[in-house]
Amino acid sequence: MLIVLFAIGLLFLSGFLALSVGRNGGVANLLGGCGAFSGSLIGLVEAVEILASGRTEQIRWAWSVPYGSFLVRIDALSALFLIPIFILCAVCGLYGYGYMKSFCGCKNLGAYWFFFNGLAASMAMVAVAANGVLFLMSWEIMALCSFFLVTFEHEEGSVQRAGWIYLAATHIGTAFLLVLFLMLGHVAGNGSLDFNAFLGSHGKMGGYADVVFLLAVIGFGSKAGFVPFHIWLPEAHPAAPSPVSAVMSGVMLKTGIYGILRILTFLGPPHLWWGYLLLGIGLVSGILGVLMAIAQHDLKRLLAYHSVENVGIIALGLGLGILGVVWHLPVLAVLGFGGGLLHVINHALFKGLLFMGAGSVQHGAGTRQIDLLGGLIKRMPWTCVTFLIGAVAICGLPPLNGFVSEFLIYMGGFHGVGLARSAAAGAVLIIGLALIGGLAAACFTKAFGVVFLGEPRSPYGADAHEAGLSMRVAMLLLAAGCVGIGLFSPWVVKLMGHAVAESGAIPYEAVQGFLAPASSALLKVAVVSGCFLFVVLVLCLIRAKILSGRTSSSEGTWDCGYFRPTARMQYTASSFAQPVTAMFEAILRTRSHTPSFSDPRGAPVFFPDAALFESHTEDFFLKSVYAPLFMAVKRFALKFRFLQAGRVQFYILYIALTLFVLLIWCLR
Amino acid sequence: MNLFTDVVIAVLILTNLRLIASSRISACIYAVACQGVLLGVLPLLVGSSHLMVRACALSGVTVMLKGFFFPWLLLRALKSANVRREMEPLVGYTSSLMIGALLLATAMWFGRQLPLPVPAHSPMVLPLAMFNIMVGLFVIVSRAKAITQVLGYLVMENGIYAFGLAFALSEPSLVELGILLDAFMAVFVMGITIFHISREFDHMDTDRLTALRD
Amino acid sequence: MNFGRLALPVLALALAPLLPGIINRTKAVIGGRDGQPLLQLYYDLAKLVRKGAVYSHTTSWVFRAGPVVGLVSAVAVLAVLPLGGTSAPAGFSGDLIFMAYMLGLMRFFTVIAALDTGSAFEGMGASREVQFSALAEPVLLMALAALSLAARGSGASLGGGLFSLSAIYSHLSISTWMRSGPALLLVAGALWVVFLAENSRIPFDDPNTHLELTMIHEVMVLDHSGPDFAMILYGASLKMWILGALLAGLLVPVRSGNIWIDTGACVFGLFVLAVLTGVVESVMARLRLTRVPQLLVSAGFLSTFALALIIWS
């Protein structure tokens, strides 16, 4: 416990130090990066140890905040979320050191590192806070730090817009959480917002449980990126600097998942519709997320929508887990929660990796527009290899880590199909996961293929350069993590037992009993995958050997009779995605602007000018739900503009009046 | 025996799938005809032995009407009305299929939830009935031509017939009366709509009826 | 571990190239031609392995890695693939998911190898391939889920072996067909569609077309040559063997307990399947590309319906 607190302190401290030397960019960069790296690594050690042992530790310090106490507690569930937080923050500290160098001199790097390390520390605080007030304060610090990081390049209009959308979304979410904790405190009854007090109030919940769960899904779901609360993700992630997008998408979203799981432990036995709700949200988020991702042309926007998809997969797992608890089918519960929780870690690794890759591309080539890139494999070989590993992992393909967590959830689905009660849920889960998997493969063959392969489509692609050493090392570390979890999955799954037991309120021995068949299956997967890699290697050597003496010549690509294909004739990302977007046109509403080949009177033109085709897909929820809603709110609010007179006297009068009314209310 | 019923019901459900997915009107008419024949056979499988004569009569009438007479009428109308032989769906075929799958799931759920006064012979009869009714409604809503509206109506009516079969053991005369009524209704509606629409507008595309809006 | 199980992958490796030969021979016979020898693919492979290779300037190591990873993925699936009632050497609970995703890995690398050439035609093939396979994957998994339930009914243990292909197929017998025949027929229909779609056969794709614009799989591998192309052809025939074995194991429910009879029956079923494919290719035309998703969704409908039938009746 103390070590984790020390790590959090170190993160805060290094942030302040970096801020204090902010004028000197190089020093601030070094201080901040080292602080993030070392602080996170220190914390990681104890988090892993606590997850493995499954013990609970807590510390209470006096704190003079009403209803608050400085109560921090760390158990297996917290530790499980602390692990990806610390891993990703450490690696992003390393990556950020290289990435932010280019801003040295023109931006205040001290401020960047202050907020980055603050974000890391506050996320860790969220995971260990055991008091409502402390939790909300950490939550708010996390939101603010990430807001300032998103608006790091605030000179650009699009970044400002993204920042505002994010700020509004996160605060609306927090408002729900405030009500949630007050309600929990009300039920617990003794005026304390300590989590320990909530834990003992199962019996008194009654009808409150449903309301609290709904509040949690909305409040935490807006942070996690559940559809329809996801609209801030595709705005904020592209706007932020890449290490920040990596941390936000990889682990900050997961604090929302953590919140839901933590609240579940307070509510006692779950209700049936909670499971169905999460399953439904997971399905919709997963499919809509990946479809929207396919339709995007901006690499980081694409990745942001993929986060929605992966959060959907996690929600599928949790929903299945809750259903398992409700129906007293522990095997569903264990596989659902286990798969969902493992996907939390896995997604942190590969999504962090992919965002870093996107950052390197932006850094090296100067643009994130997929259709302007191409052929980067020759100029950025390291980024290309690591991005490929991340892409294979996120598609859930063996032998990497994405397969392991999806495998667990699938197994839960197959077990579910076998029982009449859970058959529908299981079938929906399997269909959904399979469709998501297939579409994700479509999306990442597009992203990887168009960005890294072929010929450069514009000067951006042609003049790219490889990322610096620290960035490459960071990406290699995460890629190694993806491969490692894939090949050592049986042991990783065993390690998660305590966290699964805690989230499903199932005895630890039972959890291990149900995880054992899964982990023995995973052992076979690992063995076959190991052999697979070995045979690939051997076959590569054989191939090289038999080709070594032969004439192998190098020509232009065969393009079916054209003399020499040009780079502009290549398939672009838009054309690659077109069949899929056309198939799901009813959902995506992709609009394309086709050039007109007729003159204004409608007669055909036989020698048309240069023409341009483009298509774009707007977010349905942003455009058709939130925009009209907020416009209506704005119109309503404008009616009260007369109150804003601009004179101090009036404002003092308002305050006095408010106090007066409150006094009357109390004495009534 | 039970296996045989299941086969018939499965094929019946697949004819609905064919109806949703096909782009040709004639193929749809044949699907509905096939449905009629199979529905006619169903009473023989579901009914118990002491009702055998009745079941045979019922089945004979149904096969003749639903399997041959109505499709023949429709094919004739199709030939004489001189329309394009395509369905012209308002909802795409792939989306229709997905909606069809959803409808089937809903029908299955209904079939399990709905309490029956007497236990049905096969657990799939009720879902089949619900599915037919829903598919019929869906075809009426999502296809443009008047002739497809009639097809949708026929399918819906088949659903009601199948629903009646579930009660065939306890209330046979009720079912037969219902069938008679349905048959009259079908001929009536079909005759009137197609006749009038094609006479007034020289085609049978209900889409163009929107011109009568105001 | 008995010797017969270990021989299954060897059998597949040896006999898989025969399947395209049978298909082509069937087409030739129906078309009234003499046609190629049955062993044509073996000759092709032997010739290609002895050749040099031509590479485009545009390509990188991804292009060279594609065929290798594709082939080895297919071989890895053989480790968990049962043949009729004969269990696979390394089957485990959940290996059906592993199989589906290993085939996914194969596809992933074929697609990026195609994109590596920077050719518009290969990009087009790749784009279609990912579109259709995204729809075929749910069909395959639902069909296998339905099979696992149907097989369990006949007395398989509820324990760990339930979701392994070997356990499923060793419990699929005549009595399973007697009990839930209609559902199994629907599953067979769905698997047949997946078999044709994933192996790029008519009515989804025409392997013999001469127009690149209409191809899917063939156009993706236009630029490969020499040993690389041999690996692709061999991998494709293994994939046909794998998906065919799923179908043949279902349609030929010979479970005598004698490993020679069971395996032999399944292999015979595979050859019949190849003949059937040849017949289909001779009598059908390729579908319009816009109709392909429709057929795949219909197959999904079939497998889901089969699952519902098994659960609720």
Side-chain angles (χ1 to χ4, degrees):
Chain A
M1 185 74 244
L2 276 175
I3 302 180
V4 168
L5 282 185
F6 173 72
I8 294 173
L10 190 64
L11 284 169
F12 269 128
L13 186 71
S14 60
F16 275 111
L17 277 179
L19 187 67
S20 63
V21 295
R23 299 260 168 265
N24 189 338
V27 179
N29 203 12
L30 192 65
L31 264 178
C34 284
F37 188 72
S38 54
S40 302
L41 278 192
I42 293 171
L44 180 63
V45 175
E46 199 185 34
V48 171
E49 193 262 324
I50 287 182
L51 179 64
S53 67
R55 66 193 151 83
T56 305
E57 286 183 25
Q58 72 171 36
I59 292 179
R60 182 194 291 274
W61 286 327
W63 200 30
S64 61
V65 172
Y67 301 111
S69 62
F70 193 90
L71 177 65
V72 288
R73 199 158 64 95
I74 187 166
D75 54 14
L77 192 60
S78 305
L80 186 111
F81 281 85
L82 281 177
I83 289 174
I85 290 174
F86 281 137
I87 292 180
L88 207 59
C89 287
V91 178
C92 284
L94 188 62
Y95 181 88
Y97 171 72
Y99 187 84
M100 300 312 290
K101 263 186 194 160
S102 58
F103 292 98
C104 202
C106 59
K107 298 289 265 180
N108 184 352
L109 289 190
Y112 169 82
W113 284 108
F114 172 69
F115 289 122
F116 184 86
N117 291 3
L119 175 63
S122 56
M123 282 190 299
M125 271 312 286
V126 165
V128 297
N131 174 279
V133 177
L134 185 62
F135 184 91
L136 283 177
M137 282 187 70
S138 317
W139 189 262
E140 198 53 28
I141 295 173
M142 181 176 86
L144 287 179
C145 284
S146 48
F147 167 73
F148 284 114
L149 289 169
V150 167
T151 53
F152 181 66
E153 294 169 73
H154 52 80
E155 300 84 2
E156 290 173 36
S158 64
V159 172
Q160 288 170 14
R161 177 170 178 270
W164 287 123
I165 289 182
Y166 173 51
L167 200 64
T170 184
H171 277 110
I172 292 173
T174 311
F176 283 95
L177 295 187
L178 196 64
V179 180
L180 184 155
F181 279 108
L182 289 178
M183 203 173 263
L184 279 174
H186 174 71
V187 174
N190 51 3
S192 155
L193 288 181
D194 282 356
F195 285 3
N196 296 346
F198 299 159
L199 272 174
S201 59
H202 289 174
K204 293 184 273 178
M205 270 296 170
Y208 279 113
D210 285 337
V211 183
V212 168
F213 182 76
L214 210 57
L215 286 173
V217 167
I218 298 173
F220 287 121
S222 67
K223 181 65 81 181
F226 289 163
V227 171
F229 314 119
H230 67 285
I231 45 139
W232 64 270
L233 271 104
E235 305 296 330
H237 288 329
S242 288
V244 177
S245 337
V247 168
M248 282 175 68
S249 176
V251 287
M252 199 186 75
L253 303 186
K254 309 303 164 36
T255 56
I257 303 289
Y258 168 76
I260 291 178
L261 282 172
R262 183 56 78 192
I263 295 299
L264 270 179
T265 62
F266 302 151
L267 296 183
H271 299 179
L272 184 62
W273 68 269
W274 302 357
Y276 280 125
L277 180 70
L278 277 187
L279 209 61
I281 287 179
L283 197 68
V284 173
S285 304
I287 294 178
L288 215 59
V290 69
L291 282 178
M292 287 301 291
I294 289 180
Q296 300 307 316
H297 308 309
D298 178 324
L299 189 54
K300 280 172 81 173
R301 235 180 129 81
L302 180 149
L303 292 176
Y305 272 114
H306 253 284
S307 298
V308 177
E309 177 229 297
N310 279 286
V311 166
I313 293 178
I314 295 171
L316 279 177
L318 301 189
L320 187 72
I322 293 178
L323 288 179
V325 174
V326 175
W327 286 325
H328 303 293
L329 298 171
V331 61
L332 290 198
V334 168
L335 288 172
F337 280 123
L341 287 177
L342 187 56
H343 206 71
V344 166
I345 296 180
N346 287 342
H347 179 242
L349 294 181
F350 51 65
K351 188 47 72 68
L353 175 58
L354 289 168
F355 263 116
M356 288 178 183
S360 302
V361 168
Q362 187 179 9
H363 189 261
T367 181
R368 300 189 306 254
Q369 294 302 317
I370 300 175
D371 280 340
L372 294 179
L373 295 164
L376 291 186
I377 190 168
K378 304 215 174 70
R379 288 153 199 90
M380 312 177 73
W382 288 101
T383 308
C384 171
V385 173
T386 51
F387 195 92
L388 177 61
I389 291 176
V392 173
I394 202 172
C395 293
L397 296 174
L400 300 182
N401 59 350
F403 178 72
V404 181
S405 39
E406 288 195 20
F407 180 82
L408 290 180
I409 302 178
Y410 262 122
M411 284 304 281
F414 273 99
H415 274 286
V417 163
L419 301 158
R421 208 167 12 173
S422 54
V428 164
L429 188 100
I430 294 172
I431 296 183
L433 268 183
L435 191 64
I436 292 171
L439 291 172
C443 187
F444 274 93
T445 45
K446 162 188 140 169
F448 178 76
V450 177
V451 171
F452 288 99
L453 305 177
E455 294 285 344
R457 289 175 177 75
S458 75
Y460 286 113
D463 302 336
H465 60 84
E466 179 58 289
L469 180 67
S470 72
M471 291 160 78
R472 268 179 288 164
V473 171
M475 290 191 284
L476 281 174
L477 281 176
L478 285 186
C482 289
V483 179
I485 292 189
L487 291 183
F488 298 100
S489 51
W491 295 276
V492 177
V493 169
K494 271 201 189 108
L495 199 62
M496 309 224 320
H498 287 291
V500 174
E502 213 146 289
S503 46
I506 309 164
Y508 176 67
E509 290 71 29
V511 169
Q512 284 301 5
F514 287 111
L515 278 182
S519 78
S520 76
L522 283 173
L523 185 63
K524 288 238 175 115
V525 171
V527 170
V528 176
S529 304
C531 296
F532 167 80
L533 291 179
F534 177 71
V535 177
V536 165
L537 203 68
V538 170
L539 200 59
C540 282
L541 290 178
I542 293 177
R543 184 184 157 283
K545 180 92 181 155
I546 60 174
L547 273 176
S548 63
R550 312 258 173 84
T551 51
S552 67
S553 58
S554 182
E555 302 285 333
T557 296
W558 162 246
D559 225 13
C560 312
Y562 285 111
F563 172 61
R564 172 131 311 171
T566 67
R568 291 195 55 197
M569 286 159 70
Q570 293 176 92
Y571 239 45
T572 60
S574 323
S575 43
F576 189 83
Q578 190 269 340
V580 179
T581 52
M583 195 160 67
F584 292 97
E585 199 257 333
I587 302 174
L588 288 174
R589 295 156 193 282
T590 301
R591 283 188 300 160
S592 51
H593 307 279
T594 3
S596 159
F597 293 111
S598 54
D599 66 5
R601 282 165 303 167
V605 173
F606 294 108
F607 300 100
D609 291 337
L612 186 74
F613 172 89
E614 58 180 346
S615 66
H616 56 94
T617 308
E618 283 177 72
D619 197 299
F620 167 77
F621 289 98
L622 185 60
K623 194 175 138 228
S624 312
V625 179
Y626 291 106
L629 183 71
F630 281 93
M631 283 311 284
V633 170
K634 189 179 170 190
R635 270 200 302 279
F636 181 71
L638 280 180
K639 293 210 171 103
F640 296 94
R641 199 162 190 181
F642 65 92
L643 291 174
Q644 183 85 334
R647 302 178 73 127
V648 179
Q649 291 88 335
F650 278 112
Y651 297 153
I652 294 175
L653 178 65
Y654 296 152
I655 295 171
L657 274 178
T658 315
L659 287 176
F660 190 61
V661 168
L662 280 178
L663 190 65
I664 292 175
W665 175 265
C666 291
L667 295 179
R668 148 185 74 106
Chain B
M1 193 67 179
N2 202 5
L3 187 72
F4 209 62
T5 321
D6 277 357
V7 174
V8 171
I9 290 177
V11 177
L12 274 170
I13 287 181
L14 293 184
T15 53
N16 284 331
L17 178 71
R18 172 82 182 148
L19 178 72
I20 292 178
S22 175
S23 63
R24 293 185 178 279
I25 293 181
S26 54
C28 290
I29 296 177
Y30 287 126
V32 173
C34 174
Q35 201 172 59
V37 172
L38 287 171
L39 269 179
V41 178
L42 212 52
L44 295 179
L45 302 173
V46 174
S48 55
S49 52
H50 67 276
L51 288 171
M52 217 48 203
V53 183
R54 266 197 140 126
C56 280
L58 186 67
S59 133
V61 172
T62 316
V63 170
M64 284 313 295
L65 271 181
K66 290 179 190 289
F68 297 100
F69 184 60
F70 293 162
W72 175 74
L73 271 184
L74 282 173
L75 282 174
R76 213 185 57 149
L78 186 66
K79 228 174 261 170
S80 60
N82 213 9
V83 285
R84 281 185 62 215
R85 304 284 163 94
E86 303 235 330
M87 287 293 273
E88 298 179 23
L90 306 177
V91 180
Y93 297 114
T94 312
S95 321
S96 298
L97 275 170
M98 290 184 185
I99 292 172
L102 272 183
L103 291 181
L104 181 62
T106 325
M108 292 242 168
W109 185 76
F110 269 144
R112 287 170 54 76
Q113 299 294 322
L114 221 59
L116 279 185
V118 281
H121 181 72
S122 159
M124 290 301 291
V125 173
L126 219 50
L128 169 74
M130 299 308 284
F131 184 53
N132 258 28
I133 294 171
M134 287 191 239
V135 166
L137 271 176
F138 175 69
V139 169
I140 290 176
V141 171
S142 67
R143 303 289 190 260
K145 290 220 165 76
I147 199 160
T148 45
Q149 312 254 313
V150 177
L151 275 176
Y153 178 78
L154 273 178
V155 170
M156 222 168 93
E157 200 256 334
N158 283 346
I160 296 169
Y161 173 88
F163 199 77
L165 276 183
F167 301 99
L169 292 179
S170 54
E171 297 288 341
S173 53
L174 188 78
V175 176
E176 282 153 32
L177 202 69
I179 290 167
L180 204 63
L181 225 144
D182 288 341
F184 270 123
M185 202 57 190
V187 176
F188 194 64
V189 170
M190 201 156 56
I192 289 181
T193 45
I194 295 187
F195 178 69
H196 279 281
I197 293 173
S198 67
R199 199 186 59 181
E200 295 296 323
F201 299 98
D202 274 345
H203 55 74
M204 313 193 303
D205 204 337
T206 50
D207 234 12
R208 310 205 193 153
L209 292 179
T210 46
L212 297 174
R213 188 169 43 184
D214 45 24
Chain C
M1 178 69 68
N2 67 42
F3 171 74
R5 284 181 173 198
L6 278 177
L8 277 193
V10 180
L11 195 69
L13 290 173
L15 292 184
L18 206 55
L19 294 180
I22 296 178
I23 294 178
N24 285 333
R25 196 57 187 256
T26 312
K27 285 165 79 175
V29 168
I30 294 180
R33 290 175 280 123
D34 274 352
Q36 333 168 322
L38 274 178
L39 301 181
Q40 184 61 43
L41 188 55
Y42 293 95
Y43 303 141
D44 288 349
L45 291 178
K47 189 173 72 183
L48 283 168
V49 167
R50 277 182 278 124
K51 286 196 163 196
V54 182
Y55 294 106
S56 154
H57 309 299
T58 310
T59 58
S60 60
W61 60 266
V62 171
F63 182 77
R64 292 156 178 77
V68 177
V69 177
L71 177 60
V72 182
S73 311
V75 175
V77 175
L78 292 182
V80 299
L81 183 79
L83 212 51
T86 316
S87 297
F92 53 89
S93 172
D95 59 5
L96 42 92
I97 305 162
F98 180 73
M99 180 202 69
Y101 274 69
M102 246 352 197
L103 292 180
L105 185 68
M106 179 179 184
R107 187 183 314 123
F108 191 96
F109 271 84
T110 317
V111 166
I112 59 173
L115 287 173
D116 198 18
T117 59
S119 150
F121 290 110
E122 296 187 34
M124 190 172 59
S127 157
R128 288 171 185 166
E129 170 97 358
V130 293
Q131 182 203 2
F132 298 150
S133 59
L135 292 178
E137 201 150 278
V139 183
L140 179 62
L141 282 169
M142 280 319 276
L144 292 176
L147 278 190
S148 84
L149 281 194
R152 190 196 56 179
S154 62
S157 65
L158 262 163
L162 183 60
F163 306 117
S164 96
L165 288 170
S166 304
I168 293 172
Y169 277 93
S170 59
H171 285 96
L172 270 178
S173 56
I174 303 273
S175 66
T176 321
W177 272 95
M178 297 302 283
R179 201 179 43 251
S180 38
L184 289 187
L185 262 184
L186 293 177
V187 172
L191 280 178
W192 173 243
V193 171
V194 172
F195 173 79
L196 293 177
E198 286 279 309
N199 288 310
S200 321
R201 312 304 307 191
I202 288 177
F204 294 92
D205 183 13
D206 188 353
N208 292 333
T209 177
H210 58 277
L211 201 59
E212 292 88 346
L213 273 175
T214 61
M215 298 177 186
I216 300 173
H217 181 76
E218 295 302 310
V219 75
M220 283 204 297
V221 298
L222 273 183
D223 246 56
H224 289 282
S225 56
D228 290 336
F229 192 49
M231 281 191 255
I232 284 183
L233 287 180
Y234 192 39
S237 71
L238 285 179
K239 189 175 177 186
M240 183 181 279
W241 178 276
I242 290 163
L243 291 169
L246 295 182
L247 194 49
L250 167 64
L251 290 177
V252 187
V254 178
R255 303 288 182 270
S256 63
N258 181 331
I259 191 165
W260 298 107
I261 296 177
D262 288 3
T263 315
C266 189
V267 171
F268 177 72
L270 262 170
F271 291 155
V272 173
L273 202 62
V275 173
L276 274 180
T277 313
V279 173
V280 167
E281 299 213 345
S282 309
V283 300
M284 269 186 89
R286 202 174 58 76
L287 279 179
R288 249 169 38 217
L289 280 173
T290 47
R291 304 279 294 187
V292 169
Q294 217 175 311
L295 190 52
L296 286 169
V297 175
S298 304
F301 189 103
L302 289 188
S303 54
T304 316
F305 179 37
L307 187 68
L309 269 183
I310 293 172
I311 293 171
W312 278 317
S313 60

